[in-house]
Amino acid sequence: MSIDMANFTPGLSLAGGLMIGAAAAVLVLFNGRIAGISGILGGLLGSSRNDAGWRVAFLTGLLGAPVLASLLSKPISIVVQAGWTEVLLAGFLVGIGTRYASGCTSGHGVCGISRGSVRSFVATATFMASGVLTAYVYRHLLGG
């Protein structure tokens, strides 16, 4: 295995991780809510919109942080080697997975594990194993 040093960004990665952890901690400490993105977005799109303010603010920060990071540092070129059909299918499958797992990787992986939730440990292990298996099948068996 080799590291692509041209795209190796440990500083930005560390800063991003710290920002995610800080956002999750602030949300649970000051709002009593878990920073699960699928739950935050689902609550905003659902029938009860009485708590839309903090949801919109959180999602705005989630989308605004990469924009701010690109303004403060050298922009990173991201190349997605898939067409719109594959991207939409993948998003649909991830959405189904978050419904079955009662949460997404942010809710289970970042917040649930830090709270010691057994359900979150199992869900995160399942997410990771599925990703590893999918990458293996795609790269080694399908020739991707």
Side-chain angles (χ1 to χ4, degrees), residues 61-125:
L62 184 70
L63 297 172
V67 173
L68 180 62
S70 70
L71 294 174
L72 297 175
S73 67
K74 184 181 102 180
I76 299 169
S77 175
I78 298 173
V79 178
V80 177
Q81 296 177 345
W84 281 106
T85 303
E86 290 90 355
V87 171
L88 292 174
L89 178 61
F92 178 72
L93 292 173
V94 167
I96 290 173
T98 61
R99 294 297 280 172
Y100 279 116
S102 297
C104 58
T105 53
S106 57
H108 285 299
V110 175
C111 300
I113 288 177
S114 67
R115 292 180 302 129
S117 168
V118 173
R119 183 174 79 149
S120 291
F121 277 105
V122 172
T124 303

Side-chain angles (χ1 to χ4, degrees), residues 17-70:
L18 291 172
M19 288 173 63
I20 290 169
V26 166
L27 189 62
V28 79
L29 289 173
F30 293 106
N31 204 6
R33 302 292 185 137
I34 299 298
I37 308 308
S38 61
I40 292 171
L41 181 61
L44 186 62
L45 300 176
S47 59
S48 174
R49 293 198 177 104
N50 58 348
D51 59 353
W54 73 265
R55 292 176 189 275
V56 169
F58 191 90
L59 294 171
T60 300
L62 184 70
L63 297 172
V67 173
L68 180 62
S70 70

Side-chain angles (χ1 to χ4, degrees), residues 90 93-94 97 105 122-142:
L93 292 173
V94 167
T105 53
V122 172
T124 303
T126 303
F127 296 150
M128 296 302 292
S130 298
V132 168
L133 179 64
T134 300
Y136 180 83
V137 167
Y138 181 76
R139 289 185 178 174
H140 298 288
L141 302 180
L142 298 178

